Amino acid sequence: MFANCIDRFRALFLSILLLSCLTVPALAGPFEDSVAKFANDEFSDTEAAIGEVAASGNALASPIISALQDGRLSADPDSKKVFITRTDGKIVDAATGAAVDKLPDNAAAVRLNNRLRRTVEAALGGLTLLSPDPAKRLAAAQSVFKSHEENVLPTVESALAKESVKPVKQAFAEARAAIILFKSDASDSDKLDAVAVVKARGDQEALALLTALGADQPPLVANAAASAVSSIQSNLAMWSMVQNAWYGLSLGSVLLLAAIGLAITFGVMGVINMAHGEMVMLGAYTTFVVQEVIRSRYPALFDYSLLIAVPLAFLVAGLIGVVIERTIIRFLYGRPLETLLATWGLSLVLQQAVRTAFGPTNREVGNPSWMSGAFELGQITITYNRLWILCFTLAVFAILLAMLRYTALGLEMRAVTQNRRMAASMGIATSRVDALTFGLGSGIAGIAGVALSQIDNVSPNLGQSYIIDSFMVVVFGGVGNLWGTLVGAFTLGIANKFLEPVAGAVLGKIAILVLIILFIQKRPRGLFALKGRAVEA
């Protein structure tokens, strides 16, 4: 009797267990139900499935959405099962993650249209909103701000509540505001707060977002958005002027670096050196040679390549300048036309020599890591290479001023500049000063080439791009006056960048040239004229 009871109990237990196993699919959870919607082959069901899967918090959510974006998500309409084909070729069940031998015969890729693709991008952004990496959270928040998909609003609000990193928290707040602005059932007060948040962002993306608001907005929201658009446009116009001023300073630093050596030789010697641009070009090619040697033999020193190239470029260009002065220029003093023609012919010789040695094509000169990239300052972008060139130019200018003021050579150069005959009568070897001055000016042009190699093409024609502008800077600032060269370079650089958006690059340069001609008619000696008996005579 007891044994029969035990047998009946076992039979009942086995029946209940079997019934439970058979009813498991019917008791599937909400995540599995959401995944199954991908098999309906309806865009509306696919959109709902994307939102539900992304909001589920399931570990399989990100692989499913990523597979959908890449065309690796397949569904079987008969069994309503969905499968992920991983990047390594293996197949798994999307709902459970279990491995599958092969896709069913009727399985086909889940279809997407343009609207669903945007939804997928927004969902992927939402899935990374809770990433442990702040950089990924920031990128995801910025992506949501652009897409403003409504279905990720709960995730954004949850991430905003948990966020502790200030820039990322601000990005979450902006993403939430963008979603609310386009949310049809959001209250007027919420939309007004959202407009204020987007207005505070104040960049081009914020302007585009507010401009894209439909005409069906409530009057209060529409007026607030219009006011925000006007405010952002005014703010961006101001930042555009600041950006142009920065571009002008950047161009001015390049012009100053290229013209400062010319100002010395032109001021002391009165020589119109048309080969000055080729000294710049030689400095750039010296940088190229230094980097090629470092790449092939000492790659670990690449970040120091410019620091090595600067003194070498100064020596190479300076020595060539001394040779030019001793062999050509010294026989042509007092004959400016012949000097101009001789140096112009010399520039052609140097260009052809470089073409023969290095070829006519551009040469690659890399940026060290500390000169690569950019950073944002307000609404303007500042590149590190331009910033370092500006600092380098000012440092060269300060060193040159100190050399002219506190060294014997500097004193002799100033004496020869002011009155060559008196300086010679006082025992100064003017021919030696001339040679050293020409070498110094050429050497500075060489280190200008090092800087220009970071922002321009290194080619045999590099110097020709700056020689005319350099002469304009020297004449405008005042021949032989370094402070005049500084003011002239930055003035012309800034004026050029403000004229370009209005008149175009070519007409802008023509306008600058016309203005300089008119200015020289009024002040023939430039902004800062040299003083001295010889000059005034």
Side-chain angles (χ1 to χ4, degrees):
M1 186 70 172
F2 181 76
N4 290 337
C5 289
I6 291 178
D7 290 337
R8 289 176 182 177
F9 179 78
R10 285 177 177 173
L12 179 62
F13 176 77
L14 291 173
S15 299
I16 294 173
L17 182 62
L18 179 61
L19 183 62
S20 300
C21 292
L22 293 174
T23 57
V24 165
L27 296 176
F31 179 74
E32 289 78 5
D33 293 339
S34 299
V35 172
K37 291 181 181 180
F38 285 114
N40 294 340
D41 198 27
E42 294 288 342
F43 288 143
S44 58
D45 288 340
T46 301
E47 183 173 14
I50 292 170
E52 292 170 8
V53 168
S56 68
N58 193 293
L60 291 171
S62 182
I64 289 173
I65 305 299
S66 297
L68 178 62
Q69 185 182 48
D70 299 339
R72 296 182 287 105
L73 191 69
S74 305
D76 182 7
D78 297 332
S79 64
K80 299 297 182 182
K81 285 187 174 294
V82 182
F83 306 93
I84 299 172
T85 303
R86 299 194 317 194
T87 53
D88 59 2
K90 295 182 179 179
I91 301 170
V92 297
D93 189 312
T96 63
V100 177
D101 292 336
K102 66 175 184 176
L103 290 174
D105 295 336
N106 293 332
V110 179
R111 296 182 303 142
L112 291 176
N113 57 19
N114 289 336
R115 175 179 173 80
L116 286 179
R117 288 188 181 91
R118 291 192 295 269
T119 304
V120 167
E121 291 176 0
L124 285 175
L127 287 170
T128 55
L129 288 171
L130 301 176
S131 168
D133 185 355
K136 290 184 178 180
R137 296 199 301 272
L138 179 62
Q142 292 171 342
S143 175
V144 172
F145 179 86
K146 295 177 183 178
S147 63
H148 48 79
E149 290 290 338
E150 185 177 330
N151 55 7
V152 297
L153 180 59
T155 309
V156 170
E157 291 179 333
S158 174
L160 177 61
K162 299 176 182 177
E163 188 57 57
S164 59
V165 180
K166 189 174 180 180
V168 182
K169 191 176 185 70
Q170 180 63 31
F172 281 141
E174 292 167 355
R176 179 181 178 275
I179 296 172
I180 290 175
L181 276 177
F182 290 86
K183 196 170 184 290
S184 58
D185 58 348
S187 65
D188 287 1
S189 60
D190 286 343
K191 288 196 172 186
L192 289 174
D193 292 339
V195 169
V197 171
V198 175
K199 176 183 175 182
R201 175 168 172 149
D203 60 0
Q204 288 287 354
E205 291 179 354
L207 179 63
L209 190 74
L210 291 172
T211 306
L213 281 177
D216 57 344
Q217 297 295 325
L220 284 175
V221 177
N223 291 336
S227 175
V229 167
S230 177
S231 175
I232 292 174
Q233 287 175 337
S234 300
N235 186 54
L236 289 177
M238 182 196 70
W239 279 110
S240 177
M241 294 180 64
V242 175
Q243 183 78 73
N244 284 336
W246 162 249
Y247 287 151
L249 288 175
S250 176
L251 175 60
S253 66
V254 171
L255 293 178
L256 176 61
L257 205 54
I260 194 170
L262 189 63
I264 295 172
T265 56
F266 198 13
V268 175
M269 307 167 64
V271 172
I272 302 175
N273 180 19
M274 295 301 293
H276 184 78
E278 278 55 52
M279 300 298 107
V280 175
M281 178 260 295
L282 289 174
Y285 273 96
T286 301
T287 308
F288 166 72
V289 172
V290 168
Q291 287 197 351
E292 285 298 296
V293 172
I294 288 177
R295 282 193 182 101
S296 59
R297 299 184 182 181
Y298 314 101
L301 296 177
F302 186 80
D303 275 350
Y304 304 96
S305 59
L306 295 189
L307 301 179
I308 298 170
V310 165
L312 290 178
F314 181 85
L315 290 174
V316 169
L319 289 174
I320 292 176
V322 171
V323 171
I324 292 172
E325 196 281 333
R326 290 287 86 186
T327 57
I328 299 175
I329 303 298
R330 64 179 298 191
F331 301 108
L332 300 174
Y333 287 131
R335 298 154 64 186
L337 181 60
E338 286 87 341
T339 305
L340 186 148
L341 292 174
T343 53
W344 177 67
L346 180 63
S347 71
L348 298 180
V349 171
L350 290 174
Q351 288 180 43
Q352 189 57 46
V354 169
R355 286 192 183 92
T356 303
F358 297 97
T361 58
N362 295 341
R363 291 295 181 171
E364 179 186 357
V365 174
N367 292 98
S369 60
W370 48 274
M371 287 189 73
S372 302
F375 65 94
E376 302 290 331
L377 183 63
Q379 297 296 329
I380 67 174
T381 301
I382 297 178
T383 55
Y384 284 110
N385 58 354
R386 293 276 183 174
L387 180 61
W388 278 112
I389 288 174
L390 176 60
C391 296
F392 177 70
T393 301
L394 295 177
V396 170
F397 182 80
I399 293 171
L400 189 57
L401 279 180
M403 189 275 294
L404 291 176
R405 185 175 181 84
Y406 298 110
T407 67
L409 176 61
L411 180 62
E412 292 174 350
M413 286 173 58
R414 286 186 289 141
V416 172
T417 301
Q418 293 180 9
N419 195 318
R420 176 178 291 270
R421 290 182 179 179
M422 182 62 72
S425 67
M426 297 297 293
I428 296 176
T430 56
S431 61
R432 181 181 65 87
V433 172
D434 288 338
L436 293 177
T437 300
F438 203 88
L440 176 64
S442 300
I444 294 173
I447 62 176
V450 177
L452 292 178
S453 69
Q454 300 300 296
I455 59 174
D456 207 341
N457 295 324
V458 177
S459 69
N461 299 320
L462 173 64
Q464 295 298 307
S465 305
Y466 296 95
I467 185 65
I468 302 301
D469 289 336
S470 298
F471 273 111
M472 285 198 299
V473 167
V474 172
V475 173
F476 176 66
V479 176
N481 191 303
L482 292 185
W483 285 107
T485 305
L486 175 72
V487 175
F490 285 122
T491 301
L492 294 183
I494 293 173
N496 194 47
K497 288 302 177 182
F498 273 95
L499 283 174
E500 274 185 8
V502 178
V506 176
L507 288 179
K509 284 188 176 294
I510 293 174
I512 292 292
L513 180 59
V514 171
L515 290 174
I516 290 178
I517 292 173
L518 295 176
F519 177 80
I520 294 302
Q521 293 295 319
K522 189 71 174 176
R523 293 179 64 94
R525 295 179 183 174
L527 282 173
F528 299 91
L530 285 175
K531 295 182 180 180
R533 293 180 180 176
V535 174
E536 292 168 358

